[in-house]
Structures are given as C-alpha cells and as structure tokens.
Amino acid sequence: KLPQSSLNIARKKSSAVFTAASRALKQQPESMARNSITLLLAALFFAVANAFSPESCTQMFATMKRLGGALPPADYVTGCTEVCDKVKELKTYWSGNAEMTTFACEQGAKFGCVWNGTPPKTLADLGC
C-alpha cells in the first residue's frame, strides 16, 4: 500500500493524463476498454514514481542539493528523510567503530542522503 502523500502526489501529477483520457473516452466510446486500461496504467505509473525506494530518495535528495535545500512538495518522498536521519544518528553514535560507521555510510549512499543546511550537508560532510 502506498502512503497517502504518495497517492496525493500521484493524483496531482496525473491530472493531465486523466483529462486527456476523459476526452478520448467521450470521443470514441467503442474503444472505452482500451482507453480505460491506458488510463489505469498511467495512473499506476505516476503513483509508483514517487513511492519510497532508494532510487526515489536519491532523486529527491539530488533535487534538494541542486536547489540548495528548498524542495518542491511534488518531489518529496515520504520516508527518505527518516532513513537518512537514522543513518546520521548511526554514524554519530558509532563514531569510534569503523565497521558500523562504514555500514552507515554505505546505507546513506544507497539513499543518496542529503540533510538540510546552508548549503545542504552531504555524506562527505559527515566524514563518509
């Protein structure tokens, strides 16, 4: 199940697709089944586009870094900042343990972690 915020983002992003599909359905009722399937696939694509994953987090944090910290609401992916906050906590807490700090840095790299700041802080700023 997708988080509610991801569904809201998907609805906003796919409104143009829904509008175009609605027009097509009105113009060609005989192809309603084909258009309905196309509409469902497009909605699913947009819903999954901002779903939580290492790739979507990496993309979100790349945008945050590029923009200097400000992140458009449509680019926000629920769960990413929480994962990276835990990475930072782990790195800080286990600072004297090379194995654990390496693990924290590896996990942070998977998600492309960036933290708010001026400029935004990266893994390199944590010593990774």
Side-chain angles (χ1 to χ4, degrees):
K1 183 177 177 181
L2 290 172
Q4 188 61 37
S5 60
S6 293
L7 292 174
N8 289 338
I9 292 168
R11 285 185 194 112
K12 289 177 186 175
K13 285 187 171 184
S14 59
S15 66
V17 174
F18 287 118
T19 303
S22 294
R23 283 190 211 126
L25 287 172
K26 290 176 185 173
Q27 293 172 358
Q28 300 177 1
E30 67 277 357
S31 63
M32 187 179 294
R34 183 173 40 111
N35 288 334
S36 295
I37 291 170
T38 302
L39 175 63
L40 288 172
L41 290 174
L44 179 61
F45 169 78
F46 285 113
V48 172
N50 275 357
F52 177 81
S53 70
E55 295 79 18
S56 61
C57 291
T58 299
Q59 184 177 3
M60 180 187 92
F61 289 124
T63 301
M64 178 188 287
K65 185 176 177 186
R66 186 182 78 243
L67 297 176
L71 189 65
D75 291 338
Y76 182 78
V77 179
T78 301
C80 296
T81 54
E82 291 82 355
V83 167
C84 291
D85 287 345
K86 290 297 177 186
V87 165
K88 189 175 183 179
E89 285 178 29
L90 187 66
K91 171 83 169 90
T92 303
Y93 183 81
W94 290 100
S95 61
N97 184 317
E99 185 179 342
M100 290 303 289
T101 56
T102 299
F103 174 76
C105 290
E106 288 170 353
Q107 296 307 306
K110 281 184 190 178
F111 288 88
C113 292
V114 172
W115 295 270
N116 282 326
T118 308
K121 306 299 179 213
T122 64
L123 286 166
D125 296 321
L126 288 183
C128 291

